[in-house]
Amino acid sequence: MRRALIAGNWKMNGLRRDGLDRARALARRSREAQLAAEIVICLPATLLAEIRAALDGGAVALGAQDCAPEENGAFTGDAAAPMLADAGCRYVIVGHSERRRGHGETDRLVRAKAQAAGRAGLAAIVCVGETQAERDGGVAGAVVERQLRESLPEGADGAGCVVAYEPVWAIGTGRPAGLAEVRAMHATLRAALRARLGPKADGVRLLYGGSVKPENAAELLAVPEVDGLLVGAASLDVEAFWTICRAAG
Ligand code: PGA
């Protein structure tokens, strides 16, 4: 049995005051009502230390949104996985489409980042997903399989890796993928994981992301092979995010 995972991705949003308020409210809810699902919020680096303290005693874990492939050194502006672990993170997102597109990140680089995360004891949330043009061109499955094959670290397993399917056209558009599309792609991903990892594939959680909202969380979670959700905009609203967490049980 894979435990459901609800991951909030705050992206580049949140100053100290509103970030702390949001995290405290979430931690309070997680103390009051214990959920079966695992919850993590992936924060801007500036908020990690303070929010780590605010989450203390609650059931919400801390995550980051990217890490460098190197351990340390002359890499101005980057944060290394051991630094994120040191700041209290348990998870780190790698290969988000906003980084693949906006920062030219390749599958090879995403794999190096996921491997660095593993060395630091962090679980990597490895994102894959096709563009609208790729879907229209009938190559969505092939693109996502390639991303999975080339971005997933060697020796991946359920403890060190989560895969998030996020169709680029569904992110931030208010238009999530259809349930049939999610079902088909998650089946493809599970089969690809089995071919690659053998029995270990069954421990790897597959998240769906892209315009997840309180209104569609339950139906997305009911799709076979959807083990959780990666939530962007709705994770900035405590009520909305908590409703989504509750939908996972
Ligand atoms: P969204 O973003 O929920 O705002 O569509 C999801 C993501 O990019 O992780």
Side-chain angles (χ1 to χ4, degrees):
M1 253 312 261
R2 293 181 291 271
R3 185 177 178 203
L5 174 65
I6 305 296
N9 174 10
W10 288 13
K11 308 193 180 185
M12 198 173 70
N13 295 293
L15 298 179
R16 285 176 57 226
R17 176 177 297 181
D18 58 298
L20 270 169
D21 286 351
R22 202 181 300 138
R24 286 197 185 108
L26 210 53
R28 190 170 57 246
R29 280 174 172 73
S30 79
R31 279 192 295 267
E32 285 163 7
Q34 274 164 21
L35 300 186
E38 189 179 352
I39 303 168
V40 55
I41 48 175
C42 299
L43 306 180
T46 48
L47 298 180
L48 289 172
E50 252 178 319
I51 288 189
R52 172 194 200 171
L55 294 179
D56 228 18
V60 179
L62 199 63
Q65 300 173 10
D66 182 41
C67 69
E70 300 86 3
E71 313 289 301
N72 54 47
F75 302 99
T76 303
D78 288 345
M83 294 171 177
L84 300 173
D86 190 42
C89 290
R90 214 180 296 158
Y91 286 89
V92 60
I93 297 171
V94 295
H96 191 284
S97 65
E98 286 154 15
R99 297 208 60 86
R100 287 180 185 265
R101 267 195 314 179
H103 299 260
E105 294 196 2
T106 60
D107 290 327
R108 191 189 161 94
L109 178 61
V110 175
R111 171 182 279 167
K113 290 181 171 199
Q115 275 165 344
R119 285 194 301 274
L122 297 173
I125 302 177
V126 181
C127 299
V128 297
E130 82 283 1
T131 62
Q132 184 70 63
E134 288 162 343
R135 178 155 285 269
D136 293 345
V139 293
V143 166
V144 168
E145 274 187 276
R146 188 214 69 225
Q147 290 176 332
L148 185 76
R149 189 172 57 247
E150 296 181 12
S151 313
L152 214 61
E154 292 308 321
D157 63 15
C161 254
V162 174
V163 174
Y165 169 54
E166 295 206 306
V168 177
W169 47 272
I171 295 175
T173 60
R175 192 167 59 91
L179 299 181
E181 289 164 329
V182 176
R183 185 184 181 124
M185 192 60 88
H186 278 236
T188 299
L189 286 168
R190 181 65 65 198
L193 281 173
R194 287 207 178 107
R196 162 89 179 270
L197 305 175
K200 275 200 300 188
D202 290 333
V204 177
R205 289 174 290 186
L206 289 176
L207 313 186
Y208 167 79
S211 297
V212 174
K213 295 176 275 223
E215 305 80 59
N216 59 27
E219 62 186 25
L220 285 162
L221 286 163
V223 173
E225 303 294 348
V226 171
D227 305 310
L229 301 167
L230 181 51
V231 186
S235 72
L236 295 171
D237 178 323
V238 174
E239 283 308 322
F241 188 61
W242 187 247
T243 304
I244 293 167
C245 294
R246 280 211 327 261

